[in-house]
């Protein structure tokens, strides 16, 4: 889809989208059309329940006195309260509403909003970003979809008094959208196509953006002593992998010494059957997106490199397939992680923490990062706690937690902090080894996080349990149903707010 920006000018034909504020107050462009049509918009508004609230819209077909095919009025609410997020949602809703309405090109008039805090260029850029995010589709495996069922909208022309600045701002956001799309693609791919080696190969495309990509195979990981990760993958005929991605965007300091990187680590279980502790059949198909954490890290790297973020970043993903089989790991197996700690594997379905144990220690010991944030579809229990509204946040660092929480609120990818402490940590102590891979009956998400914490040393660290937010069954204004890519925009914002030079 093509999105362009230009200065406001009268729209003579086609489909036009105009704003209306609370109390049915017409924007300048809406008023112009209303006048030209002899008051048709005013009459249509009066005859409807449309009040101009955010989220409302009203379509007027072929108003007389004009050559317009369709005028779409969108509610902007109270100008004073209009936010970037409202603009983004409006863009998503307009795309969603018009993409299948037999329109191929639309013009959107985003006049200055009298009394609003947000600048017109930001309204325009956010609107465009929302439309782009809503335009995502994963349809590569549909061979028989009829043309008329496919989205028809291919061009959005946005008119804004700040069009030049909007274009610049949107170019950056569009790079973030590209990262989001990559994450959604990876999460949506089926596990017969996307498995550790094929996923690792797909990360190679990032080298085009200036990212250094290294892929570790099983022999290399064995040498490094990654017994926890390798144990999970040993039941699968597909070999495990670890991918290390580096983006060096920070300017060199005066001393010439490279700035310590920040690090993102992802769980990449390309399919989680549970292993010998086999999951029930119902809903098992959801476990194709058990690599969601890794997909976010990969999409985030693409977003950061795409917009040339001035920061040094490392992305590490542990890729395995958790299968039952003759060589699969058994409940009661004992494994030794890369850092030498021993783990009794009591349930093979608690595999994500085993993968992350080695990925986190590897990242920490090799890169000595300023902080690490890991993402994982780690526990079903986090869905019981927080549903699909918030990701679970666990951290040993208040500042990092506050920054993540703030960034999440800004981009509407919200996180909620959960506790960590000695009492929960004790629940994974084990008589036979340094620890076991499950806790007691309660607090399943917390004991999983305590397990991870045993592998991060003193480095500031946060764990996002994204099991409840990685996949959505419902369309939302900027997130079509399916893979959400929750975390890409959040972590991009975290970086932009705090870590760029
Ligand atoms: N991948 C699952 C967690 C999950 C569940 C993600 C539902 C998304 C939706 C994870 O590997 C798992 O199986 N966790 C177990 C842990 C338990 C055995 C301690 C769980 O949550 O049941
Ligand atoms: Mn599992
Ligand atoms: Zn899993």
């Amino acid at each position: 889809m093509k999105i362009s920006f230009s200065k406001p000018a009268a729209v003579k034909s086609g489909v036009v989208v105009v704003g209306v504020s609370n109390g049915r107050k017409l924007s300048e462009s809406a008023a112009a059309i209303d006048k030209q049509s002899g008051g048709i918009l005013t009459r249509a508004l009066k005859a409807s329940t449309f009040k101009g609230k955010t989220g409302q819209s009203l379509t007027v077909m072929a108003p007389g006195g004009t050559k317009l095919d369709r005028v779409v009025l969108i509610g902007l609410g109270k100008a004073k309260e209009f936010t970037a997020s409202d603009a983004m949602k409006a863009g998503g809703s307009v795309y969603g509403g018009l993409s299948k309405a037999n329109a191929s090109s639309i013009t959107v008039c985003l006049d200055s909003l009298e009394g609003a805090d947000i600048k017109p260029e930001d309204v325009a850029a956010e609107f465009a970003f929302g439309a782009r995010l809503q335009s995502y589709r994963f349809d590569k495996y549909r061979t028989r979809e009829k043309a008329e069922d496919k989205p028809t909208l291919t061009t959005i022309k946005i008119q804004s008094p700040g069009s030049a600045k909007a274009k610049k701002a949107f170019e950056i956001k569009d790079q973030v959208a590209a990262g989001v799309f990559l994450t959604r693609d990876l999460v949506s791919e089926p596990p017969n196509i996307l498995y550790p080696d094929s996923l690792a190969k797909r990360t190679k495309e990032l080298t085009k953006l200036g990212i250094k990509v290294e892929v570790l195979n099983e022999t290399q990981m064995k040498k490094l002593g990654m017994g926890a990760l390798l144990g999970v993958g040993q039941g699968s005929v597909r070999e495990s992998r670890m991918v290390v991605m580096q983006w060096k965007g920070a300017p060199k300091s005066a001393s010439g010494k490279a700035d310590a990187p920040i690090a993102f680590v992802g769980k990449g279980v390309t399919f989680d059957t549970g292993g010998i502790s086999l999951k029930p059949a119902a809903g098992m198909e959801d476990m194709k997106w058990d690599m969601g954490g890794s997909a976010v890290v990969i999409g985030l790297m693409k977003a950061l490199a795409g917009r040339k973020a001035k920061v040094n970043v490392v992305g590490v993903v542990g890729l395995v397939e958790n299968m039952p089989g003759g060589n699969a790991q058994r409940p009661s197996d004992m494994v030794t992680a890369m850092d030498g700690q021993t783990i009794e594997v009591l349930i093979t379905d608690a595999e994500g923490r085993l993968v992350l144990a080695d990925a986190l220690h590897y990242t920490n010991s090799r890169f000595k990062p300023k902080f690490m944030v890991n993402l994982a579809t780690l526990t079903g229990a986090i869905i019981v706690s927080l549903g699909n509204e918030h990701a679970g946040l666990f951290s040993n660092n208040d500042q990092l937690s506050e920054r993540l929480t703030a960034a999440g609120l800004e981009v509407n990818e919200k996180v909620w902090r959960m506790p960590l402490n000695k009492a929960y940590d004790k629940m994974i102590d084990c008589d036979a080894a340094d620890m076991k891979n499950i806790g007691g009956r309660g607090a399943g998400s917390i004991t999983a996080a305590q397990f991870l914490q045993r592998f991060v040393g003193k480095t500031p660290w946060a764990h996002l349990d994204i099991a409840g937010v990685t996949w959505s069954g419902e369309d939302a204004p900027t997130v079509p149903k399916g893979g959400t890519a929750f975390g890409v925009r959040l972590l991009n914002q975290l970086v932009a707010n705090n870590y760029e030079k």
Side-chain angles (χ1 to χ4, degrees):
M1 183 178 57
K2 222 180 136 258
I3 300 178
S4 63
F5 299 87
S6 60
K7 288 268 177 241
V11 185
K12 301 257 161 59
S13 61
V15 178
V16 57
V17 179
V18 292
V20 178
S21 315
N22 239 19
R24 296 174 174 157
K25 188 168 177 282
L26 300 184
S27 62
E28 238 177 273
S29 312
I33 296 169
D34 192 44
K35 196 170 165 203
Q36 199 190 340
S37 65
I40 282 182
L41 298 191
T42 304
R43 269 175 59 207
L45 283 171
K46 277 212 183 111
S48 78
T49 55
F50 181 101
K51 294 271 188 322
K53 289 189 195 146
T54 47
Q56 284 191 311
S57 78
L58 179 72
T59 299
V60 178
M61 300 301 285
T66 77
K67 293 220 160 65
L68 298 169
D69 295 333
R70 176 195 310 244
V71 179
V72 180
L73 305 163
I74 54 169
L76 305 174
K78 290 189 185 135
K80 240 178 75 189
E81 291 165 12
F82 194 74
T83 63
S85 150
D86 291 328
M88 198 173 131
K89 281 186 197 154
S93 301
V94 164
Y95 179 89
L98 286 171
S99 62
K100 287 186 175 173
N102 194 27
S104 63
S105 170
I106 65 173
T107 306
V108 183
C109 302
L110 296 174
D111 311 332
S112 333
L113 255 180
E114 215 179 297
D117 282 339
I118 181 168
K119 294 190 201 110
E121 56 264 32
D122 292 330
V123 173
E126 293 287 348
F127 184 98
F129 188 42
R132 175 72 88 218
L133 289 174
Q134 180 59 42
S135 74
Y136 178 79
R137 279 177 51 103
F138 186 78
D139 53 9
K140 64 193 276 197
Y141 297 108
R142 300 192 62 167
T143 65
R144 281 201 281 264
E145 192 179 20
K146 291 191 206 103
E148 66 259 35
D149 293 338
K150 289 187 185 167
T152 50
L153 190 53
T154 56
T155 308
I156 300 185
K157 297 177 188 159
I158 297 177
Q159 294 192 351
S160 163
S163 58
K165 283 187 185 157
K167 181 168 184 274
K168 276 214 174 122
F170 177 62
E171 272 164 16
I172 293 168
K173 290 183 184 297
D174 217 11
Q175 296 302 318
V176 178
V180 166
F181 282 22
L182 173 58
T183 300
R184 288 179 182 170
D185 278 344
L186 296 176
V187 163
S188 307
E189 285 286 359
N192 59 328
I193 305 291
L194 197 87
Y195 46 88
D197 185 52
S198 65
L199 178 47
K201 287 209 169 93
R202 286 194 62 170
T203 64
K204 293 276 188 187
E205 78 176 58
L206 298 180
T207 55
K208 277 187 280 184
L209 295 169
I211 295 173
K212 181 175 164 200
V213 180
E214 295 163 73
V215 179
L216 307 187
N217 62 25
E218 287 194 348
T219 315
Q220 292 164 303
M221 287 191 279
K222 220 166 269 169
K223 247 196 203 147
L224 289 163
M226 295 186 180
L229 182 150
L230 289 168
V232 176
Q234 77 186 33
S236 170
V237 296
R238 309 197 186 280
E239 271 201 35
S240 302
R241 295 285 183 266
M242 183 171 290
V243 181
V244 182
M245 295 157 279
Q246 296 180 66
W247 166 251
K248 291 185 181 152
K252 286 249 157 57
S253 67
S255 65
K257 249 181 84 184
D259 203 26
I262 60 177
F264 300 100
V265 178
K267 166 180 172 180
V269 177
T270 59
F271 195 77
D272 180 13
T273 63
I276 295 299
S277 315
L278 194 63
K279 285 183 182 296
M284 202 200 273
E285 66 276 13
D286 283 350
M287 289 302 107
K288 80 165 180 180
W289 45 264
D290 208 21
M291 33 58 70
S294 70
V296 170
V297 171
I298 294 163
L300 175 68
M301 294 304 290
K302 176 164 182 159
L304 293 173
R307 69 173 183 80
K308 301 203 166 44
K310 293 189 174 57
V311 60
N312 293 339
V313 197
V314 176
V316 174
V317 295
L319 309 177
V320 303
E321 186 180 49
N322 189 20
M323 296 288 274
N327 195 42
Q329 140 167 286
R330 296 145 290 250
S332 78
D333 271 8
M334 205 71 89
V335 296
T336 304
M338 182 183 169
D339 72 347
Q341 298 190 81
T342 56
I343 304 157
E344 188 177 21
V345 178
L346 290 176
I347 297 187
T348 64
D349 196 12
E351 84 296 341
R353 63 199 76 183
L354 297 167
V355 173
L356 285 172
D358 281 335
L360 284 165
H361 176 74
Y362 175 81
T363 306
N364 200 19
S365 58
R366 176 172 169 192
F367 295 103
K368 317 243 167 347
K370 283 199 189 103
F371 69 76
M372 298 193 282
V373 175
N374 76 257
L375 303 105
T377 48
L378 203 63
T379 65
I382 202 68
I383 309 175
V384 178
S385 308
L386 300 174
N388 314 112
E389 277 305 308
H390 289 86
L393 161 65
F394 302 83
S395 180
N396 60 6
N397 187 284
D398 291 343
Q399 187 191 53
L400 182 56
S401 296
E402 281 157 21
R403 289 175 171 183
L404 280 162
T405 303
L409 287 171
E410 273 180 70
V411 303
N412 197 30
E413 290 183 346
K414 298 190 290 290
V415 300
W416 195 262
R417 192 167 181 187
M418 304 279 282
L420 288 170
N421 65 43
K422 274 223 170 76
Y424 291 120
D425 185 67
K426 254 183 85 163
M427 292 166 74
I428 52 170
D429 281 346
C430 176
D431 292 336
D434 297 337
M435 69 196 86
K436 50 188 178 182
N437 77 328
I438 50 165
R441 221 191 265 186
S445 305
I446 306 175
T447 50
Q450 294 289 168
F451 186 98
L452 301 183
Q453 192 176 7
R454 291 190 180 201
F455 294 88
V456 302
K458 294 210 152 48
T459 304
W461 152 82
H463 151 54
L464 299 177
D465 193 334
I466 56 172
V469 293
T470 293
W471 192 267
S472 164
E474 278 163 46
D475 280 317
T478 61
V479 187
K481 67 179 176 209
T484 62
F486 181 108
V488 175
R489 291 188 302 111
L490 162 69
L491 297 175
N492 173 66
Q493 199 63 41
L494 174 82
V495 171
N497 289 354
N498 305 290
Y499 301 103
E500 292 194 59
K501 297 270 144 138

